[in-house]
Amino acid sequence: MSQVDIHPSARLADNVRIMGALSLGANVQVGANVTFYPNVHIGAGTRIMAGAVIGRPPIRAGTTNRPISLGDETVRIGAHCVISPNAVLYTNLRIGNNVLVGDLASVREGCQLADDTVVGCGTTLMHGVEIGARSRIHNLAFIVGGCRIEADVFIAGQVGSVNDNEVYLKRFGLVPFRIDPPRIRRFAVVGANATLSAGIEVGRGAIVAPGAVVTRDVPAWTVVAGVPARHMRDIPTEDRQAILRKFGLADEASA
């Protein structure tokens, strides 16, 4: 018999489906029509809103090229999070404290969300995405599998990303499966409707302008724009220093 451990102060609305082992901490609130797959652990004060699905396993239909791994098949959500209506969270997740996942968001298996992160409405995080503390991803963004987003990053709405430059042959199984996701360094900003190509790095404190198509690395503390994205200017020294001072960091440019 799977263990279900629900704190006496937790509150569950109507038609909550529990499919296996579940633990709910103190003052957890669960809305109507929520589904919990097995091995889900929810921290104190977290709110799971109506229609959310927590712990969904990935299921192949025989048509995908990517190997699927379930990992340790557990979901751990920290304290004082909000999982909004109709969000779907897959298995093998680690979500920190004070995290907001928006309406209709999809968070795939293997993702890790650090404390104080935001995932906007309708956003998709594909498999194995890692998001650093205090980073924010706005509505309808598509973050490709394996992407690494460091702390204090801002990604605007409808940003797209790519992790594969060999899909022309790979979709037929003609080359080995591998991915080369982008990486976004700390303090970077990616503007609305920008596209990040496979294998690129957006450097520390850099800005990608709205609508840009990034096909090569963006140096730290620079601004790029256009299709393909090109260097426009450097971040003003006083802006860079203000950000670094806020976090108690030295200015590497003057070190």
Side-chain angles (χ1 to χ4, degrees):
M1 181 80 177
S2 297
Q3 182 177 4
V4 175
D5 180 12
I6 299 176
H7 192 276
S9 62
R11 295 292 179 263
L12 280 67
D14 295 337
N15 199 34
V16 173
R17 187 178 185 194
I18 298 172
M19 301 176 65
L22 172 69
S23 65
L24 301 180
N27 299 309
V28 167
Q29 299 179 50
V30 179
N33 303 305
V34 168
T35 297
F36 290 108
Y37 281 85
N39 304 315
V40 173
H41 309 273
I42 310 292
T46 285
R47 185 172 182 181
I48 312 292
M49 301 183 73
V53 176
I54 312 296
R56 178 206 192 283
I59 300 172
R60 293 173 64 102
T63 57
T64 58
N65 291 323
R66 178 177 67 85
I68 290 178
S69 172
L70 298 181
D72 68 1
E73 298 187 70
T74 63
V75 174
R76 297 187 182 276
I77 300 175
H80 305 292
C81 296
V82 175
I83 311 301
S84 299
N86 299 308
V88 178
L89 277 55
Y90 281 60
T91 193
N92 187 23
L93 297 185
R94 298 292 179 270
I95 296 177
N97 300 321
N98 306 308
V99 172
L100 171 62
V101 177
D103 302 4
L104 297 167
S106 176
V107 181
R108 292 293 302 265
E109 68 277 7
C111 289
Q112 299 181 42
L113 282 61
D115 294 350
D116 304 305
T117 54
V118 173
V119 176
C121 298
T123 284
T124 296
L125 306 183
M126 292 297 287
H127 61 95
V129 170
E130 296 182 11
I131 303 178
R134 299 173 300 280
S135 287
R136 299 182 179 188
I137 303 176
H138 273 224
N139 300 347
L140 299 174
F142 179 83
I143 307 301
V144 77
C147 188
R148 301 293 183 266
I149 299 170
E150 295 186 355
D152 303 298
V153 166
F154 180 92
I155 297 179
Q158 298 185 298
V159 165
S161 53
V162 179
N163 63 5
D164 186 0
N165 287 327
E166 298 178 325
V167 69
Y168 185 75
L169 295 177
K170 192 176 297 176
R171 60 196 168 130
F172 302 118
L174 297 174
V175 295
F177 183 87
R178 59 180 176 268
I179 60 174
D180 188 16
R183 181 160 188 158
I184 307 172
R185 296 290 188 177
R186 192 174 184 185
F187 305 127
V189 171
V190 181
N193 296 292
T195 300
L196 307 179
S197 298
I200 63 92
E201 178 178 289
V202 178
R204 193 182 206 200
I207 295 177
V208 175
V213 177
V214 180
T215 59
R216 56 187 177 182
D217 290 350
V218 179
W221 306 107
T222 64
V223 179
V224 300
V227 181
R230 295 180 174 86
H231 178 268
M232 295 288 110
R233 59 181 176 85
D234 293 340
I235 298 293
T237 299
E238 57 270 25
D239 292 354
R240 181 186 70 235
Q241 291 175 341
I243 290 171
L244 294 172
R245 281 197 304 270
K246 176 176 175 61
F247 291 91
L249 301 173
D251 188 346
E252 59 267 40
S254 61

